[in-house]
Amino acid sequence: GRGAAATGISAKYTQHMATALCIAAAVTAFSGASSASGVVQRRAPLAAVSMGGNKKVYSFEGVDGGLLEAREVSITKPPVYLLTRLNEMKVATGLAESGLLSAAEEAGVFSKLESAGAFSTAEKLLPLVEKFKLLSLFEELLEVEAGLLFTAANFLIVFTPVVLTLQICGFVPFPQGPVIPVEALACLSTGAAGFALFATAFIIGNLQEEPASFQQ
């Protein structure tokens, strides 16, 4: 009888201890959540990466009770200081120190170009810059992330190798008849556009860097 009573008391004691441990764990978890909410409340809003221009993103901020509140905020892309960046890159100084123009003059490059009518041809092509709004296009590209321009340029550059690979492997038939010049023109056009866009992305990437005078 005494053994059974002792066993019952031991079982009740174990049950009470388990209940106490559960309560302690719950209190600890609640305290941790409260302290975490305090930390979250002091944290700054999560930053979003701006990929160009103004856009709307959602920022999460800590509020009372450990909850997160979503708010729509506007992310503005930093302006591109074109002339400042050109000055810091020392383009004119580099051109002067390289002696490229003097070497071209001594080699008679300008005379050959003049005799070939290159300057007159360039003069006739100048109105096309305004007709196709190339300067406006370059200005708009300054607001596009350089990484996106590099990605588009790479797609254009690898277009021809990918097409040739697919044709050699038999996935795409080789062109025949009048399709041959069309495909050749498409490959040459995409390749030239890809390399031109790659060079443009490289220039824009350097211009988009924040000027050293603006950095703290």
Side-chain angles (χ1 to χ4, degrees), residues 44-203:
L46 298 179
V49 179
S50 178
M51 297 302 292
N54 300 335
K55 67 176 184 178
K56 299 292 185 179
V57 298
Y58 286 98
S59 174
F60 294 91
E61 298 180 357
V63 295
D64 296 336
L67 300 178
L68 292 178
E69 180 181 1
R71 297 179 180 178
E72 188 180 55
V73 296
S74 178
I75 299 297
T76 304
K77 191 181 189 310
V80 178
Y81 300 94
L82 178 59
L83 300 180
T84 304
R85 284 296 299 155
L86 289 176
N87 184 51
E88 289 186 353
M89 293 169 64
K90 298 182 178 180
V91 177
T93 303
L95 182 60
E97 293 179 351
S98 65
L100 181 61
L101 297 179
S102 301
E105 184 179 5
E106 293 176 358
V109 175
F110 296 110
S111 301
K112 295 178 181 178
L113 291 176
E114 185 178 2
S115 60
F119 294 108
S120 59
T121 304
E123 186 178 13
K124 295 178 182 179
L125 293 177
L126 285 178
L128 297 179
V129 176
E130 297 179 353
K131 180 179 180 180
F132 294 104
K133 299 181 179 179
L134 298 181
L135 296 179
S136 302
L137 177 61
F138 183 79
E139 185 179 15
E140 293 177 358
L141 290 178
L142 286 175
E143 301 299 328
V144 180
E145 186 68 24
L148 297 178
L149 298 178
F150 277 118
T151 302
N154 291 331
F155 273 112
L156 294 175
I157 291 173
V158 302
F159 174 79
T160 299
V162 169
V163 170
L164 292 178
T165 303
L166 294 176
Q167 290 176 346
I168 294 174
C169 295
F171 294 102
V172 176
F174 283 96
Q176 296 179 357
V179 183
I180 295 178
V182 175
E183 181 176 333
L185 180 60
C187 293
L188 292 176
S189 301
T190 53
F195 284 109
L197 185 58
F198 191 93
T200 304
F202 179 79
I203 296 174

